[in-house]
Amino acid sequence: MKIKNTIALAIGVVLASVATNAQTTTFKKDEFKQWAQTPPMGWNSWDCYGSTVEEHEVKANADYMVKNLKKFGWEYVVVDIRWFVENDKAGGYNQTDPRYVIDQYGRYLPALNRFPSAKDGQGFKPLADYIHKKGLKFGIHIMRGIPKKAVEDKLPIKGTNAITADQIYSTALQCEWLKDNYTVVADKPGAQEYYDSLFELYAQWGVDFIKIDDLSRPYHEGEINLIRNAIDKCGRKIVLSTSPGETPIEAAPHVTTHANMWRMVDDVWDTWPHITHLMKVSEKWYPYIAPGTWPDCDMIPLGRISLRGERGEDRMSRLTKDEQYTLITFFNIFKSPLFFGGDLPSNDAFTLSLLTNKEVVKMHNESTDVKQLFQKDGKIAVTSKNPKDGSVYLALFNISDTATETISVDLSDLGISGSAQVTNLWTGEKSAVSSTAISSTLKPHSSVLYQLKAKK
């Protein structure tokens, strides 16, 4: 395996000189929940660029976000997996001869051939500065654990006297699908210091959001504790996303007190079974939707995806328009974090319309009391309330593959007595319901999203 070590003796000096606004305050327990009182919204490079995204592409997506999405609440720009590998590939990972970029403390650094502004030991700070100047926020992806290269070379752990990487690792529970890192043994001396050193570096770069992979299956409580401690003492408000796959419901008491968002399922791609599986798994997570802590439906696989992605060829989303409405309606009423996975500059007008509906965005931000009324016989009903104006939201889904279905909900189940004014949030069409129930006839894979206001 070819591995490139980029170790600059003066890196500590350089990073210290470029770090700005680094606080020394340790955040209080649960203070992190204040950093994501509404579900985070942004763009992530994974669906369209896999492990190969380059700096100019990140900037192009940020530029588009500022022009078209920022006013609707979209603000995070996230560089996903393996930004520290010089020679990764589309359609998977180069695990044969990866050329890593790593510093003298076993911490990955951006690959210069992909992120040229990281020169002279500056890391991601110049890119973060570019994004911050646009009024946006910057995020990165990392894998849990410590680099195998750091272990092999017995690199020192920053913040310790003589502890080296080979003293804090284990081969047990190594990620099955990507072998860059080993597990960090949480109770080993130096384990906390290693994670502290990572977040010290990320705070210096100006990172606002971090997605940490391979934490959820099995659930790595020990490393999540180390990560929470490290963020709380790094002095920067960094939103934490744990990922992927199906976080066990038994971990709910822990994850809701340690992360801002956590994945409920494996990657969601542009196929119908991915959507129906997500809807099924989500059933158990409704009680845990709360300000600052959000069950995560994964990225939004719409628009142009897989330009150099991990799965499939360069394409516009394979979902039909009805299926795209169903996906985006579910993500919004469930109050999932919203991270668009397509290449934003390639958006067509329809895709953009799914992201910029003012009333849908308002529901996503302001609604409370999200609950599923039923999921049976191919029919799903989900509701929530807007405490600011007293309105009620209702999403109806026909997930049947063949049958057109009429789906009905009693107004009493929505807390409405008497008649109500109804607005279809996607079309803007208004109507009135004066019976005791509201109904909609839906084609297979289609949905509708209503706002109801009781008539006085």
Side-chain angles (χ1 to χ4, degrees), residues 297-310:
C297 288
D298 192 26
M299 282 170 286
I300 301 170
L302 302 183
R304 185 183 178 192
I305 57 179
S306 211
L307 278 75
R308 297 190 306 276
E310 186 254 359

Side-chain angles (χ1 to χ4, degrees), residues 68 127 158 176 212 266 359 374 382 411:
N68 299 285
L127 179 56
K158 190 175 189 294
E176 295 180 357
I212 305 186
D266 287 326
E359 293 305 315
F374 55 79
V382 181
L411 292 184

Side-chain angles (χ1 to χ4, degrees), residues 26 74 79 105 117 136 140 147 220 230 245 261 300 314 318 326 334 345 347 354 362 367 380 410 420 442 445:
T26 298
W74 300 84
V79 176
Y105 296 117
S117 71
L136 303 175
I140 60 173
H220 292 272
M261 48 189 277
I300 301 170
D314 185 353
R318 294 172 294 194
T326 291
F334 189 81
N347 274 353
L354 299 176
K362 180 180 179 181
S367 61
I380 302 175
D410 291 342
L442 300 173
H445 298 194

Side-chain angles (χ1 to χ4, degrees), residues 105 146 155-161 163-165 168 190-191 193-194 197:
Y105 296 117
I146 190 163
L155 296 180
I157 304 298
K158 190 175 189 294
T160 68
N161 290 327
I163 299 173
T164 51
I168 69 168
E193 287 83 356
Y194 177 70
S197 75

Side-chain angles (χ1 to χ4, degrees), residues 27 105 201 209 235 340 352 376 434 438:
F27 296 113
Y105 296 117
L201 181 63
F209 178 99
F340 189 77
L352 180 59
K376 61 182 179 180
S434 55
I438 182 170

Side-chain angles (χ1 to χ4, degrees), residues 81-185:
I81 199 164
R82 269 190 149 198
W83 37 265
F84 45 81
V85 176
E86 293 181 333
N87 61 335
D88 221 336
K89 64 176 184 176
Y93 305 101
N94 175 11
Q95 299 198 67
T96 303
D97 61 344
R99 297 197 303 271
Y100 300 119
V101 184
I102 193 170
D103 77 359
Q104 73 268 43
Y105 296 117
R107 303 176 298 184
Y108 291 122
L109 301 175
L112 294 181
N113 62 325
R114 294 168 54 196
F115 299 95
S117 71
K119 64 183 180 180
D120 301 325
Q122 295 182 90
F124 271 130
K125 188 173 189 307
L127 179 56
D129 286 347
Y130 178 90
I131 290 167
H132 290 153
K133 287 176 182 177
K134 294 180 175 293
L136 303 175
K137 295 179 180 179
F138 177 65
I140 60 173
H141 168 290
I142 65 170
M143 298 296 297
R144 68 170 177 89
I146 190 163
K148 290 170 63 177
K149 178 60 177 173
V151 171
E152 292 165 1
D153 289 356
K154 299 182 179 181
L155 296 180
I157 304 298
K158 190 175 189 294
T160 68
N161 290 327
I163 299 173
T164 51
D166 58 300
Q167 296 173 281
I168 69 168
Y169 88 104
S170 171
T171 58
L173 299 177
Q174 185 184 19
C175 179
E176 295 180 357
W177 47 268
L178 189 59
K179 303 296 186 179
D180 295 335
N181 291 4
Y182 289 128
T183 297
V184 169
V185 182

